[in-house]
PDB file of all heavy atoms in Angstrom:
ATOM      1  N   TYR V1016     151.609 125.344  86.800  1.00  0.00           N
ATOM      2  CA  TYR V1016     151.781 126.324  85.724  1.00  0.00           C
ATOM      3  C   TYR V1016     150.462 127.003  85.385  1.00  0.00           C
ATOM      4  O   TYR V1016     150.419 128.208  85.074  1.00  0.00           O
ATOM      5  CB  TYR V1016     152.365 125.655  84.490  1.00  0.00           C
ATOM      6  CG  TYR V1016     153.807 125.245  84.662  1.00  0.00           C
ATOM      7  CD1 TYR V1016     154.176 123.903  84.731  1.00  0.00           C
ATOM      8  CD2 TYR V1016     154.817 126.201  84.769  1.00  0.00           C
ATOM      9  CE1 TYR V1016     155.503 123.524  84.904  1.00  0.00           C
ATOM     10  CE2 TYR V1016     156.148 125.837  84.938  1.00  0.00           C
ATOM     11  CZ  TYR V1016     156.480 124.496  85.009  1.00  0.00           C
ATOM     12  OH  TYR V1016     157.800 124.130  85.186  1.00  0.00           O
ATOM     13  N   MET V1017     149.354 126.245  85.436  1.00  0.00           N
ATOM     14  CA  MET V1017     148.051 126.842  85.148  1.00  0.00           C
ATOM     15  C   MET V1017     147.694 127.903  86.187  1.00  0.00           C
ATOM     16  O   MET V1017     147.172 128.969  85.836  1.00  0.00           O
ATOM     17  CB  MET V1017     146.979 125.750  85.106  1.00  0.00           C
ATOM     18  CG  MET V1017     147.067 124.825  83.908  1.00  0.00           C
ATOM     19  SD  MET V1017     145.676 123.676  83.849  1.00  0.00           S
ATOM     20  CE  MET V1017     144.310 124.802  83.552  1.00  0.00           C
ATOM     21  N   LEU V1018     147.948 127.610  87.459  1.00  0.00           N
ATOM     22  CA  LEU V1018     147.641 128.580  88.501  1.00  0.00           C
ATOM     23  C   LEU V1018     148.498 129.836  88.321  1.00  0.00           C
ATOM     24  O   LEU V1018     148.011 130.962  88.509  1.00  0.00           O
ATOM     25  CB  LEU V1018     147.893 127.965  89.877  1.00  0.00           C
ATOM     26  CG  LEU V1018     147.617 128.886  91.069  1.00  0.00           C
ATOM     27  CD1 LEU V1018     146.155 129.333  91.089  1.00  0.00           C
ATOM     28  CD2 LEU V1018     147.975 128.186  92.384  1.00  0.00           C
ATOM     29  N   GLU V1019     149.742 129.648  87.953  1.00  0.00           N
ATOM     30  CA  GLU V1019     150.635 130.782  87.734  1.00  0.00           C
ATOM     31  C   GLU V1019     150.107 131.677  86.613  1.00  0.00           C
ATOM     32  O   GLU V1019     150.102 132.910  86.739  1.00  0.00           O
ATOM     33  CB  GLU V1019     152.035 130.262  87.387  1.00  0.00           C
ATOM     34  CG  GLU V1019     153.137 131.261  87.584  1.00  0.00           C
ATOM     35  CD  GLU V1019     154.496 130.606  87.482  1.00  0.00           C
ATOM     36  OE1 GLU V1019     154.906 130.245  86.357  1.00  0.00           O
ATOM     37  OE2 GLU V1019     155.146 130.442  88.531  1.00  0.00           O
ATOM     38  N   ILE V1020     149.648 131.064  85.519  1.00  0.00           N
ATOM     39  CA  ILE V1020     149.108 131.842  84.403  1.00  0.00           C
ATOM     40  C   ILE V1020     147.835 132.559  84.823  1.00  0.00           C
ATOM     41  O   ILE V1020     147.618 133.734  84.484  1.00  0.00           O
ATOM     42  CB  ILE V1020     148.829 130.917  83.195  1.00  0.00           C
ATOM     43  CG1 ILE V1020     150.139 130.331  82.662  1.00  0.00           C
ATOM     44  CG2 ILE V1020     148.116 131.684  82.087  1.00  0.00           C
ATOM     45  CD1 ILE V1020     149.951 129.214  81.654  1.00  0.00           C
ATOM     46  N   LEU V1021     146.960 131.875  85.576  1.00  0.00           N
ATOM     47  CA  LEU V1021     145.710 132.500  86.021  1.00  0.00           C
ATOM     48  C   LEU V1021     145.987 133.721  86.891  1.00  0.00           C
ATOM     49  O   LEU V1021     145.367 134.788  86.704  1.00  0.00           O
ATOM     50  CB  LEU V1021     144.877 131.476  86.801  1.00  0.00           C
ATOM     51  CG  LEU V1021     143.522 131.969  87.321  1.00  0.00           C
ATOM     52  CD1 LEU V1021     142.585 132.277  86.173  1.00  0.00           C
ATOM     53  CD2 LEU V1021     142.905 130.939  88.263  1.00  0.00           C
ATOM     54  N   LEU V1022     146.911 133.604  87.838  1.00  0.00           N
ATOM     55  CA  LEU V1022     147.226 134.717  88.727  1.00  0.00           C
ATOM     56  C   LEU V1022     147.874 135.882  87.973  1.00  0.00           C
ATOM     57  O   LEU V1022     147.749 137.048  88.378  1.00  0.00           O
ATOM     58  CB  LEU V1022     148.152 134.252  89.849  1.00  0.00           C
ATOM     59  CG  LEU V1022     147.557 133.247  90.844  1.00  0.00           C
ATOM     60  CD1 LEU V1022     148.611 132.815  91.860  1.00  0.00           C
ATOM     61  CD2 LEU V1022     146.342 133.820  91.547  1.00  0.00           C
ATOM     62  N   SER V1023     148.542 135.567  86.858  1.00  0.00           N
ATOM     63  CA  SER V1023     149.230 136.615  86.098  1.00  0.00           C
ATOM     64  C   SER V1023     148.262 137.601  85.451  1.00  0.00           C
ATOM     65  O   SER V1023     148.671 138.689  85.039  1.00  0.00           O
ATOM     66  CB  SER V1023     150.123 135.988  85.028  1.00  0.00           C
ATOM     67  OG  SER V1023     149.352 135.438  83.965  1.00  0.00           O
ATOM     68  N   TYR V1024     146.964 137.231  85.357  1.00  0.00           N
ATOM     69  CA  TYR V1024     145.987 138.159  84.794  1.00  0.00           C
ATOM     70  C   TYR V1024     145.782 139.368  85.704  1.00  0.00           C
ATOM     71  O   TYR V1024     145.416 140.448  85.246  1.00  0.00           O
ATOM     72  CB  TYR V1024     144.639 137.453  84.590  1.00  0.00           C
ATOM     73  CG  TYR V1024     144.543 136.626  83.328  1.00  0.00           C
ATOM     74  CD1 TYR V1024     144.767 135.252  83.361  1.00  0.00           C
ATOM     75  CD2 TYR V1024     144.227 137.225  82.113  1.00  0.00           C
ATOM     76  CE1 TYR V1024     144.672 134.482  82.206  1.00  0.00           C
ATOM     77  CE2 TYR V1024     144.134 136.467  80.953  1.00  0.00           C
ATOM     78  CZ  TYR V1024     144.352 135.105  81.004  1.00  0.00           C
ATOM     79  OH  TYR V1024     144.263 134.346  79.851  1.00  0.00           O
ATOM     80  N   LYS V1025     145.979 139.165  87.023  1.00  0.00           N
ATOM     81  CA  LYS V1025     145.715 140.247  87.977  1.00  0.00           C
ATOM     82  C   LYS V1025     146.941 140.685  88.777  1.00  0.00           C
ATOM     83  O   LYS V1025     146.964 141.783  89.338  1.00  0.00           O
ATOM     84  CB  LYS V1025     144.634 139.800  88.967  1.00  0.00           C
ATOM     85  CG  LYS V1025     143.262 139.602  88.348  1.00  0.00           C
ATOM     86  CD  LYS V1025     142.677 140.926  87.849  1.00  0.00           C
ATOM     87  CE  LYS V1025     141.262 140.743  87.312  1.00  0.00           C
ATOM     88  NZ  LYS V1025     140.696 142.038  86.822  1.00  0.00           N
ATOM     89  N   LEU V1026     147.959 139.837  88.843  1.00  0.00           N
ATOM     90  CA  LEU V1026     149.119 140.119  89.673  1.00  0.00           C
ATOM     91  C   LEU V1026     150.383 140.230  88.842  1.00  0.00           C
ATOM     92  O   LEU V1026     150.492 139.610  87.778  1.00  0.00           O
ATOM     93  CB  LEU V1026     149.292 139.027  90.738  1.00  0.00           C
ATOM     94  CG  LEU V1026     148.092 138.762  91.665  1.00  0.00           C
ATOM     95  CD1 LEU V1026     148.388 137.555  92.545  1.00  0.00           C
ATOM     96  CD2 LEU V1026     147.782 139.997  92.503  1.00  0.00           C
ATOM     97  N   SER V1027     151.350 140.964  89.351  1.00  0.00           N
ATOM     98  CA  SER V1027     152.638 141.075  88.665  1.00  0.00           C
ATOM     99  C   SER V1027     153.482 139.840  88.967  1.00  0.00           C
ATOM    100  O   SER V1027     153.224 139.108  89.925  1.00  0.00           O
ATOM    101  CB  SER V1027     153.379 142.328  89.138  1.00  0.00           C
ATOM    102  OG  SER V1027     153.638 142.264  90.528  1.00  0.00           O
ATOM    103  N   GLU V1028     154.511 139.627  88.140  1.00  0.00           N
ATOM    104  CA  GLU V1028     155.335 138.422  88.251  1.00  0.00           C
ATOM    105  C   GLU V1028     156.010 138.313  89.613  1.00  0.00           C
ATOM    106  O   GLU V1028     156.132 137.211  90.163  1.00  0.00           O
ATOM    107  CB  GLU V1028     156.385 138.402  87.141  1.00  0.00           C
ATOM    108  CG  GLU V1028     157.237 137.151  87.143  1.00  0.00           C
ATOM    109  CD  GLU V1028     158.185 137.089  85.946  1.00  0.00           C
ATOM    110  OE1 GLU V1028     158.013 137.888  85.001  1.00  0.00           O
ATOM    111  OE2 GLU V1028     159.110 136.245  85.979  1.00  0.00           O
ATOM    112  N   ASN V1029     156.454 139.431  90.172  1.00  0.00           N
ATOM    113  CA  ASN V1029     157.148 139.367  91.463  1.00  0.00           C
ATOM    114  C   ASN V1029     156.199 139.074  92.622  1.00  0.00           C
ATOM    115  O   ASN V1029     156.631 138.881  93.759  1.00  0.00           O
ATOM    116  CB  ASN V1029     157.908 140.668  91.729  1.00  0.00           C
ATOM    117  CG  ASN V1029     156.982 141.873  91.834  1.00  0.00           C
ATOM    118  OD1 ASN V1029     155.853 141.838  91.352  1.00  0.00           O
ATOM    119  ND2 ASN V1029     157.466 142.947  92.450  1.00  0.00           N
ATOM    120  N   ILE V1030     154.895 139.000  92.350  1.00  0.00           N
ATOM    121  CA  ILE V1030     153.922 138.628  93.383  1.00  0.00           C
ATOM    122  C   ILE V1030     153.408 137.211  93.161  1.00  0.00           C
ATOM    123  O   ILE V1030     153.403 136.389  94.089  1.00  0.00           O
ATOM    124  CB  ILE V1030     152.735 139.619  93.415  1.00  0.00           C
ATOM    125  CG1 ILE V1030     153.219 141.017  93.829  1.00  0.00           C
ATOM    126  CG2 ILE V1030     151.645 139.120  94.371  1.00  0.00           C
ATOM    127  CD1 ILE V1030     152.127 142.063  93.820  1.00  0.00           C
ATOM    128  N   TYR V1031     152.991 136.898  91.908  1.00  0.00           N
ATOM    129  CA  TYR V1031     152.374 135.573  91.692  1.00  0.00           C
ATOM    130  C   TYR V1031     153.383 134.436  91.722  1.00  0.00           C
ATOM    131  O   TYR V1031     153.060 133.332  92.157  1.00  0.00           O
ATOM    132  CB  TYR V1031     151.529 135.544  90.416  1.00  0.00           C
ATOM    133  CG  TYR V1031     152.268 135.575  89.097  1.00  0.00           C
ATOM    134  CD1 TYR V1031     152.959 134.456  88.625  1.00  0.00           C
ATOM    135  CD2 TYR V1031     152.236 136.706  88.292  1.00  0.00           C
ATOM    136  CE1 TYR V1031     153.616 134.486  87.396  1.00  0.00           C
ATOM    137  CE2 TYR V1031     152.880 136.741  87.061  1.00  0.00           C
ATOM    138  CZ  TYR V1031     153.581 135.621  86.616  1.00  0.00           C
ATOM    139  OH  TYR V1031     154.218 135.640  85.400  1.00  0.00           O
ATOM    140  N   LYS V1032     154.603 134.679  91.294  1.00  0.00           N
ATOM    141  CA  LYS V1032     155.585 133.590  91.312  1.00  0.00           C
ATOM    142  C   LYS V1032     155.905 133.131  92.739  1.00  0.00           C
ATOM    143  O   LYS V1032     155.915 131.926  93.020  1.00  0.00           O
ATOM    144  CB  LYS V1032     156.862 134.002  90.572  1.00  0.00           C
ATOM    145  CG  LYS V1032     156.788 133.782  89.063  1.00  0.00           C
ATOM    146  CD  LYS V1032     158.134 133.944  88.413  1.00  0.00           C
ATOM    147  CE  LYS V1032     158.067 133.580  86.929  1.00  0.00           C
ATOM    148  NZ  LYS V1032     157.803 132.149  86.709  1.00  0.00           N
ATOM    149  N   PRO V1033     156.195 134.051  93.684  1.00  0.00           N
ATOM    150  CA  PRO V1033     156.424 133.592  95.071  1.00  0.00           C
ATOM    151  C   PRO V1033     155.214 132.882  95.670  1.00  0.00           C
ATOM    152  O   PRO V1033     155.371 131.934  96.454  1.00  0.00           O
ATOM    153  CB  PRO V1033     156.718 134.899  95.822  1.00  0.00           C
ATOM    154  CG  PRO V1033     157.246 135.827  94.788  1.00  0.00           C
ATOM    155  CD  PRO V1033     156.482 135.498  93.543  1.00  0.00           C
ATOM    156  N   ILE V1034     153.993 133.315  95.302  1.00  0.00           N
ATOM    157  CA  ILE V1034     152.790 132.661  95.820  1.00  0.00           C
ATOM    158  C   ILE V1034     152.731 131.216  95.356  1.00  0.00           C
ATOM    159  O   ILE V1034     152.518 130.287  96.153  1.00  0.00           O
ATOM    160  CB  ILE V1034     151.522 133.422  95.361  1.00  0.00           C
ATOM    161  CG1 ILE V1034     151.431 134.776  96.049  1.00  0.00           C
ATOM    162  CG2 ILE V1034     150.272 132.589  95.667  1.00  0.00           C
ATOM    163  CD1 ILE V1034     150.281 135.634  95.559  1.00  0.00           C
ATOM    164  N   VAL V1035     152.934 131.004  94.048  1.00  0.00           N
ATOM    165  CA  VAL V1035     152.862 129.647  93.494  1.00  0.00           C
ATOM    166  C   VAL V1035     154.014 128.794  94.007  1.00  0.00           C
ATOM    167  O   VAL V1035     153.831 127.608  94.321  1.00  0.00           O
ATOM    168  CB  VAL V1035     152.852 129.688  91.951  1.00  0.00           C
ATOM    169  CG1 VAL V1035     152.890 128.269  91.381  1.00  0.00           C
ATOM    170  CG2 VAL V1035     151.614 130.415  91.443  1.00  0.00           C
ATOM    171  N   ASN V1036     155.198 129.381  94.128  1.00  0.00           N
ATOM    172  CA  ASN V1036     156.346 128.628  94.632  1.00  0.00           C
ATOM    173  C   ASN V1036     156.124 128.190  96.080  1.00  0.00           C
ATOM    174  O   ASN V1036     156.435 127.051  96.449  1.00  0.00           O
ATOM    175  CB  ASN V1036     157.620 129.465  94.533  1.00  0.00           C
ATOM    176  CG  ASN V1036     158.080 129.664  93.098  1.00  0.00           C
ATOM    177  OD1 ASN V1036     157.716 128.889  92.210  1.00  0.00           O
ATOM    178  ND2 ASN V1036     158.865 130.696  92.849  1.00  0.00           N
ATOM    179  N   ALA V1037     155.568 129.075  96.901  1.00  0.00           N
ATOM    180  CA  ALA V1037     155.301 128.727  98.301  1.00  0.00           C
ATOM    181  C   ALA V1037     154.227 127.648  98.384  1.00  0.00           C
ATOM    182  O   ALA V1037     154.344 126.694  99.176  1.00  0.00           O
ATOM    183  CB  ALA V1037     154.861 129.977  99.062  1.00  0.00           C
TER     184      ALA V1037
END
Side-chain angles (χ1 to χ4, degrees):
Y1016 290 111
M1017 290 186 66
L1018 180 60
E1019 199 169 73
I1020 295 169
L1021 181 66
L1022 294 177
S1023 72
Y1024 279 97
K1025 293 294 184 180
L1026 304 174
S1027 61
E1028 183 174 347
N1029 63 339
I1030 295 177
Y1031 71 74
K1032 275 191 174 293
I1034 291 175
V1035 175
N1036 290 339

